Amino acid sequence: MATLLIVALFLPLYPLSVVLNGALARLRGPVARCALLLAWPQLGVALLQLAPQAIPQAFVPWALATAGFYALRLLTVRDMGQWAGFLATSALALSWALAAGGAGRAELHAFAFWFSLPAALVALLAHPLARRFGAAYAGLQGGLIGNLPRLSGMLALTVLAAVATPPFPGFFALLNLLHVLDWSGALGVLAIWLVWGWAATRLLQGFIFGAGRAASLGDIGRASTLLYTGVLGAFAIAGLTLTGGGL
Amino acid sequence: MDKLAILLPAMPLLSALSIALLADRPRRHIARLSVGFAALTLLFAAASLAFYLVEGQPHWLSLGSGWGSLTLDPLASLMALMVAGISLVVHVYAVRYMAEEPGYARFYILLDLMAAAILLMVAAGDLVTLLVAWHLIGVLLYFLLGHDTARPAAQRYAFWSFFTYRLGDLPLILAAVLLYQAYGTISLPALFERIAADPGAHAVLGVPLTTVVALLVALAAFARSAQFPLHTWLPYTMEGPTPVSALMHAGIVNAGGFILNRFAPVFVHAGEVLHLVFVVGLVTAILGSVLMLMQNDIKKSLGYSTMGQMGFMFVEAGVGAFSLAIYHLIAHGLFKGTLFLGAGSVIGNARKHDGVPHDDVYTFVVERKPVAYRLPWVVAAALTVVVPFFILGLSHWLVDDDFVGRQGAIILLFFGWVTGAQLLFVTYRLRAGSPWRLMAMIILSLVIVVAGYTWIGHAFDVFLYPDRAFSDRLYAAASIPLGTFEVLAAILTVAVVGGWLATYYATANGGARSGEASPLRLALYSLLSREFYVADIYTWLTQAVLGLSRRLNVWLRWV
């Protein structure tokens, strides 16, 4: 049980999830945040394989409750870095349900990666915004699509990837998860998925849409745009080819 | 030739990618490119339909992996042609309409992606492809409706649409998961074959799986096609650009009718769900029509009109007339698209000149002039009751002499009779210089409409469901016990005729009321003017959830 509780730090279950979100709040560097979001759940999956016992059934409702709890809280988070952390917490908690359903090690690593990469990219995108406006805060400067169309486009695509929109792999990963759950668990996951979508629109409306108040600022460069597009494109293609459609 | 299925969604996708790469080019180049690809898509859609008509066999095409398959069956071919046609018209219309708007390239990219997603949905050959397309349509619609990024109202209503669509995505996903768990395949043709072979093999909580899946698919269709109480997003989506409104009302909102038809092999084993579809459709048709009459804004009125029409489409599916629902969907899509694209010109012209011809209809409806001369009432009553009945009965009998054996057909006849009789009843009360001539013209137009509707409806039935036995089973599944049916028909007839008599009596007595309105009337007026408070309830629920979220975050110090 002790091992499983340690794993619950990395594949975050509330209240142990406070550790990951606290660490993300303290870290200021975008690369460090990004690395933490990518490495933390992989460590959890690796540790889970070392656990001497099977996952108790009680962990599944605990995981679903954690995912639902953070999804609900995500709705009113306006700081983009924190948003990425909450979304990652909500999504990664679902790894427990997948693991309890008998998923293999590779499948669990992939599941964690499909959700942590877009969250890490969202955290990374907070940096250019903070550099321009002092903070990556939804509603602080609306209407970015007029002044910063490339950054806005990347932000929209990354947020869509983060909330499991097709053709990004999160969509297929969730289909796979639904397949191993019973109907009540599946209903819970679907409700969480719905709230993620709601939270995504609130975030985008706080940044991209609205009357632009920002002075004319430089957009991200072509190279950065191409790099981001390449990463997201490769991510989508990887999902399409590796998940086999989810079901 | 079966590779045409791939080209259908690929063409608009290619167009979107090309525009994304050439976004810096002048606007006219972008428009030409997009319109060109849209024309090619229409060409391929027409070719795919012609291909099916020549071959007579549906084609199923897999792209190799576990999913990503496409099908070209009658339903997919017909819907693809309709979608590609409307998409081309909207593309051409937007060339000048959007010329002054910011984000021209973005608009065309989104429009092309939307066309690709809809074509992928209609041609999807497996559950996962269908889910991907179904989901993407909601996401793309959000960005299209919110194209004017500076308008808060556009953002608000884009969100309403998005949320309702996401709500509708979830039951469809659950249905797909349940089907896969039970039958072990995602291929739609294989799935329907296995269901047909043993429809009662699986159950969920003691309820047959086919019933559960049909219910989930119906719920998804309700949200997508704005059925009560999931309709609030539809009338308000006028905040988006007019080409998007046209595309949405002519194509996207019809997805509910499409998905019911796609899952017809499941609905044939779920008669109870068809009854639910009928009731929800009927309620939506009535409420949509009532709310349409309350509006003083042409676009919002058209929005509620669409809601009412969607209700009728579900009524048709609910009585087992699935092919008629598709015919209704296409006919409505074409005329509503035309109305939306013409709404701007109508408003512009009305500002200069009201353009209303001061003929008999205008004098009667608007000026409410008393009737000077009428036909003898016995003749009018006979015409009102007998003529529509005769026209409807004869036209149905000509195409299908067994139509009286289908309850669904009888219900549709009843609706047709009510509409025809209403028309003649109103005509009877019209003040006209030559009432016989006017009546003759009205009856002639009724004959044309009814005969056309019946014949084309029959042609659709033969084309979409060539297996007559399957079509009969759909009608049978939608049937209710004969005694109940007859009692309901009698109650409805009494209600309709009673309504006519009450209206006639009120009009004959002058129609005007003196004194204060009764509290009941005021309450009814408030209810209708507030659109049944549905939007207010949703807003209250939304605020409650957001308030809870905010309080939790404050208590837990945002970690």
Side-chain angles (χ1 to χ4, degrees):
Chain A
M1 185 57 87
T3 315
L4 288 177
L5 287 176
I6 292 169
V7 175
L9 279 171
F10 294 94
L11 295 176
L13 293 179
Y14 188 79
L16 301 168
S17 52
V18 170
V19 177
L20 170 64
N21 286 292
L24 281 170
R26 285 181 186 281
L27 284 174
R28 289 288 157 205
V31 178
R33 274 183 172 181
C34 192
L36 182 69
L37 279 168
L38 283 172
W40 192 264
Q42 299 302 331
L43 211 56
V45 173
L47 279 172
L48 189 62
Q49 308 305 317
L50 303 176
Q53 66 178 109
I55 297 170
Q57 271 309 306
F59 271 62
V60 176
W62 185 10
L64 290 177
T66 301
F69 185 58
Y70 273 91
L72 177 65
R73 294 178 60 193
L74 188 67
L75 285 171
T76 45
V77 171
R78 295 169 74 182
D79 179 84
M80 202 197 279
Q82 200 171 39
W83 194 91
F86 275 31
L87 180 69
T89 307
S90 180
L92 293 170
L94 297 175
S95 310
W96 288 94
L98 190 66
R105 181 178 184 158
E107 207 178 333
L108 283 171
H109 276 298
F111 185 88
F113 181 69
W114 299 142
F115 284 102
S116 55
L117 179 69
L121 289 176
V122 172
L124 204 58
L125 276 175
H127 179 62
L129 283 168
R131 213 174 51 204
R132 284 166 177 79
F133 305 114
Y137 206 70
L140 182 68
Q141 295 286 348
L144 293 188
I145 199 159
N147 294 317
L148 309 171
R150 286 187 202 139
L151 182 58
S152 301
M154 288 307 108
L155 179 60
L157 279 176
T158 313
V159 167
L160 288 176
V163 295
T165 306
F168 294 106
F171 177 82
F172 303 108
L174 278 189
L175 284 187
N176 191 30
L177 173 65
L178 290 169
H179 177 51
V180 301
L181 287 170
D182 62 4
W183 66 271
S184 58
L187 277 178
V189 171
L190 288 174
I192 291 162
W193 200 354
L194 177 72
V195 180
W196 288 353
W198 182 1
T201 57
R202 283 179 62 81
L203 187 81
L204 291 180
Q205 285 183 349
F207 281 108
I208 295 178
F209 302 122
R213 294 191 298 272
S216 185
L217 293 163
D219 202 350
I220 56 172
R222 273 181 186 277
S224 306
T225 311
L226 278 176
L227 184 66
Y228 253 99
T229 313
V231 170
L232 287 171
F235 187 56
I237 290 166
L240 291 175
T241 52
L242 297 179
T243 57
L247 289 177
Chain B
M1 284 293 279
D2 55 350
K3 303 288 186 294
L4 279 173
I6 304 173
L7 290 175
L8 284 175
M11 281 293 120
L13 192 63
L14 205 58
S15 174
L17 285 174
S18 309
I19 295 170
L21 290 172
L22 304 169
D24 296 337
R25 294 286 180 91
R27 291 184 165 199
R28 63 177 187 282
H29 290 175
I30 290 170
R32 262 187 220 152
L33 188 72
S34 190
V35 170
F37 271 107
L40 267 179
T41 311
L42 177 62
L43 205 64
F44 287 132
S48 73
L49 182 63
F51 175 58
Y52 174 79
L53 289 171
V54 171
E55 290 271 312
Q57 286 294 320
H59 284 266
W60 188 80
L61 186 72
S62 174
L63 300 182
S65 66
W67 68 288
S69 59
L70 299 170
T71 186
L72 272 184
D73 61 356
L75 181 63
S77 308
L78 196 63
M79 292 297 294
L81 184 65
M82 181 222 175
V83 170
I86 291 173
S87 165
L88 176 61
V89 172
V90 169
H91 271 77
V92 173
Y93 181 87
V95 172
R96 289 180 65 186
Y97 186 89
M98 299 298 291
E100 305 295 324
E101 301 285 325
Y104 196 71
R106 172 164 49 93
F107 176 79
Y108 269 105
I109 290 172
L110 288 170
L111 201 59
D112 283 331
L113 288 176
M114 178 60 94
I118 301 175
L119 288 167
L120 187 66
M121 178 189 77
V122 299
D126 64 77
L127 288 170
V128 175
T129 308
L130 182 67
L131 288 179
V132 167
W134 188 261
H135 195 120
L136 279 176
I137 289 170
V139 174
L140 291 166
L141 185 63
Y142 170 71
F143 287 104
L144 272 173
L145 289 174
H147 180 75
D148 186 350
T149 54
R151 289 181 67 186
Q155 301 314 313
R156 185 163 59 247
Y157 300 129
F159 165 71
W160 279 18
S161 305
F162 174 79
F163 192 78
T164 313
Y165 270 39
R166 288 293 293 120
L167 212 57
D169 292 344
L170 306 183
L172 193 65
I173 292 171
L174 200 56
V177 170
L178 289 174
L179 283 172
Y180 179 67
Q181 283 176 343
Y183 293 99
T185 179
I186 56 167
S187 156
L188 288 173
L191 192 64
F192 295 147
E193 264 178 35
R194 290 180 197 183
I195 290 172
D198 194 0
H202 303 277
V204 178
L205 297 173
V207 181
L209 179 68
T210 46
T211 305
V212 175
V213 168
L215 179 64
L216 292 169
V217 172
L219 289 175
F222 292 160
R224 188 73 33 138
S225 289
Q227 298 298 290
F228 186 82
L230 299 171
H231 66 281
T232 45
W233 59 276
L234 183 65
Y236 292 92
T237 46
M238 308 311 158
E239 296 295 334
T242 296
V244 178
S245 300
L247 183 66
M248 199 177 73
H249 288 257
I252 300 167
V253 77
N254 294 320
F258 164 78
I259 204 78
L260 292 182
N261 270 272
R262 178 53 82 213
F263 281 87
V266 177
F267 280 99
V268 79
H269 304 293
E272 310 88 336
V273 181
L274 286 178
H275 300 154
L276 175 73
V277 169
F278 175 81
V279 171
V280 171
L282 190 63
V283 170
T284 305
I286 293 170
L287 297 184
S289 306
V290 170
L291 290 172
M292 179 188 77
L293 295 173
M294 296 283 294
Q295 308 307 316
N296 54 11
D297 174 315
I298 184 171
K299 284 182 85 179
K300 209 171 162 193
S301 177
L302 287 177
Y304 275 117
S305 155
T306 299
M307 178 186 162
Q309 292 294 330
M310 291 299 106
F312 281 121
M313 188 176 76
F314 276 69
V315 164
E316 286 157 350
V319 297
F322 275 58
S323 54
L324 203 58
I326 291 293
Y327 171 45
H328 191 144
L329 174 163
I330 293 174
H332 170 256
L334 293 176
F335 91 74
K336 193 52 69 66
T338 311
L339 283 175
F340 267 105
L341 296 179
S345 303
V346 171
I347 294 166
N349 288 336
R351 282 179 183 149
K352 296 175 200 155
H353 167 60
D354 68 4
V356 178
H358 288 244
D359 59 7
D360 296 334
V361 178
Y362 176 83
T363 314
F364 175 69
V365 175
V366 180
E367 295 184 355
R368 296 192 173 272
K369 291 277 175 67
V371 178
Y373 171 76
R374 290 177 183 162
L375 296 174
W377 73 270
V378 178
V379 176
L383 281 173
T384 304
V385 175
V386 175
V387 170
F389 186 79
F390 179 74
I391 295 169
L392 284 157
L394 185 66
S395 56
H396 275 73
W397 179 76
L398 283 173
V399 298
D400 183 3
D401 56 3
D402 189 34
F403 75 94
V404 286
R406 294 169 164 183
Q407 278 184 10
I410 300 291
I411 294 169
L412 295 173
L413 277 176
F414 182 81
F415 272 98
W417 172 70
V418 168
T419 313
Q422 179 88 16
L423 181 69
L424 292 179
F425 183 66
V426 169
T427 311
Y428 163 67
R429 291 160 54 214
L430 262 174
R431 176 188 189 178
S434 174
W436 284 105
R437 184 167 161 270
L438 185 69
M439 188 66 84
M441 296 304 286
I442 295 279
I443 291 173
L444 182 67
S445 57
L446 187 68
V447 169
I448 293 169
V449 169
V450 169
Y453 197 79
T454 312
W455 281 84
I456 296 174
H458 179 70
F460 266 71
D461 204 28
V462 171
F463 178 67
L464 291 173
Y465 297 102
D467 179 4
R468 173 64 194 254
F470 180 78
S471 185
D472 283 343
R473 278 168 49 221
L474 271 174
Y475 276 106
S479 299
I480 55 175
L482 194 60
T484 317
F485 177 76
E486 284 170 353
V487 169
L488 282 176
I491 291 171
L492 274 175
T493 308
V494 169
V496 169
V497 174
W500 284 343
L501 288 175
T503 310
Y504 180 74
Y505 178 76
T507 314
N509 287 332
R513 291 179 173 275
S514 56
E516 288 186 6
S518 68
L520 183 69
R521 277 175 178 272
L522 283 176
L524 187 65
Y525 180 77
S526 306
L527 197 65
L528 290 171
S529 61
R530 291 301 301 164
E531 299 166 13
F532 301 101
Y533 293 96
V534 176
D536 299 86
I537 293 168
Y538 289 162
T539 305
W540 179 81
L541 283 173
T542 306
Q543 292 307 322
V545 173
L546 290 177
L548 176 65
S549 169
R550 210 169 285 119
R551 276 195 296 277
L552 281 173
N553 277 328
V554 170
W555 288 338
L556 298 168
R557 296 178 183 276
W558 301 90
V559 287

